[in-house]
Amino acid sequence: MGTLDGKVAIVSGSGRGIGREIALKLAGEGARVVVNDLDDDPAKETLAAIEAAGGQAVSCVGSVTGDGFAERFVQTAVDEFGGLDIIVNNAGYTWDSVIQKMTDEQWDAILDVHLKAPFRILRAAQPVISAAVKRAKDAGEPVPCRKVVNISSMAGTGGNAGQANYSSGKAGVLGLTKALSKEWGRYNVTVNAVAFGLIKTRLTEAPAGTGGTIDVQGKEIKVGVNPNLLAAMEQMVPLGRGGTPAEAAGAVYLFCIPESDYVSGQTLVCGGGFNI
Ligand SMILES: NC(=O)c1ccc[n+]([C@@H]2O[C@H](COP(=O)([O-])OP(=O)(O)OC[C@H]3O[C@@H](n4cnc5c(N)ncnc54)[C@H](O)[C@@H]3O)[C@@H](O)[C@H]2O)c1
């Protein structure tokens, strides 16, 4: 018996890093998961890992910023697994510059992936959720608690130099979280955010200045924190180290379990005790 038996979850950006661990964790607790990633191979790999562990998943590959993607993502959950209980908006990347060097393209791309895409996914989910709530009420059944977890960052809670675009997107998603927690209380949906500090993934580990880049739809984008800076950052964390993707997934899981059914509109900082 898993804590999330019978639940259906969609997790964006779950081909790598934190999203992959969230998908594995939710599936390991019994949820059926729709895996998504921009890139096909990592999505397939997560799917295979879930199935190898005895879980159930399907993939819905594509960019969360694509037109029509949000509807397709939500519909995959309904078509394949018959409903939608947990939404994790996790997909994203960084594209840093000081403000005087930041282009409109850079600004728009990061706001699109971190703020507009979660907005579109939640908008697409509304008809599915409201219809399910109506069906339960009409049948005289209890309305189950559904869960939304939006992924933010300490760059969103506190701001970060060189990340005007990312900090704005990650702060914006906190506003979206709070607004939806009020709008969707009537559907018995809790809407919360997890703001990560330093988590060791390709976004932070790829050494900047030494060719550490990621490919985002054919565009090479420099990511990663300079190793010396990374070591200094780890020293500032009370727990003395960056977090693992599995630890990050654990914080998201807390908002997905029944024990958090009366917690909504909150931001949980997962940063090893570091606070800004
Ligand atoms: N790693 C950290 O220290 C840290 C800190 C704070 C917040 N975050 C946030 O956590 C989330 C996950 O980041 P991560 O560190 O695991 O990064 P990651 O690069 O390891 O994984 C992110 C995944 O999202 C996918 N993705 C990116 N853009 C996408 C798009 N448009 N559509 C679909 N998939 C897309 C990538 O292909 C990748 O597989 C992001 O929202 C990130 O901003 C990370």
Side-chain angles (χ1 to χ4, degrees):
M1 286 285 285
T3 319
L4 302 177
D5 280 349
K7 304 289 184 191
V8 177
I10 60 177
V11 185
S12 68
S14 45
R16 296 186 186 84
I18 297 166
R20 176 182 187 276
E21 293 300 322
I22 295 168
L24 281 166
K25 177 70 185 164
L26 300 185
E29 292 294 338
R32 288 162 292 163
V33 179
V34 181
V35 169
N36 153 263
D37 208 273
L38 190 56
D39 303 317
D40 197 17
D41 285 349
K44 278 190 187 137
E45 194 280 325
T46 299
L47 200 62
I50 289 173
E51 285 170 355
Q56 280 188 67
V58 294
S59 80
C60 178
V61 172
S63 175
V64 292
T65 64
D67 284 340
F69 172 80
E71 289 72 19
R72 183 161 64 86
F73 196 22
V74 166
Q75 202 54 44
T76 303
V78 174
D79 291 346
E80 297 288 335
F81 298 133
L84 181 56
D85 303 287
I86 298 169
I87 300 171
V88 183
N89 280 307
N90 165 80
Y93 59 97
T94 50
W95 191 2
D96 300 349
S97 289
V98 287
I99 196 162
Q100 65 273 26
K101 292 187 181 164
M102 190 173 285
T103 62
D104 283 357
E105 184 192 10
Q106 236 172 313
W107 174 269
D108 289 343
I110 292 301
L111 268 289
D112 274 357
V113 74
H114 290 287
L115 185 54
K116 191 172 181 183
F119 151 69
R120 284 172 152 183
I121 288 167
L122 296 171
R123 182 176 60 183
Q126 189 279 340
V128 171
I129 292 172
S130 68
V133 168
K134 186 172 184 310
R135 274 197 305 277
K137 283 185 174 165
D138 288 351
E141 291 167 1
V143 175
C145 184
R146 291 183 169 79
K147 310 279 193 170
V148 174
V149 187
N150 293 321
I151 301 308
S152 184
S153 165
M154 288 176 75
T157 56
N160 200 19
Q163 294 191 316
N165 53 358
Y166 183 70
S167 299
S168 300
K170 289 304 200 188
V173 91
L174 300 180
L176 178 65
T177 301
K178 288 176 187 170
L180 260 277
S181 73
K182 293 183 174 164
E183 208 165 305
W184 283 10
R186 65 195 164 125
Y187 301 137
N188 201 20
V189 179
T190 66
V191 186
N192 292 292
V194 177
F196 295 123
L198 177 64
I199 308 294
K200 295 186 157 196
T201 68
R202 67 177 188 157
L203 284 192
T204 50
E205 296 269 80
T210 56
T213 61
I214 60 168
D215 180 309
V216 180
Q217 296 182 295
K219 191 176 279 290
E220 290 292 310
I221 292 177
K222 215 173 249 187
V223 293
V225 180
N226 170 293
N228 295 331
L229 181 59
L230 196 63
M233 283 164 74
E234 290 198 88
Q235 279 182 3
M236 287 166 66
V237 175
L239 288 181
R241 59 182 177 81
T244 65
E247 288 171 325
V252 173
Y253 174 64
L254 296 177
F255 282 136
C256 298
I257 58 178
E259 286 81 350
S260 63
D261 280 0
Y262 200 61
V263 180
S264 193
Q266 302 304 304
T267 301
L268 174 63
V269 174
C270 174
F274 187 68
N275 250 315
I276 42 175

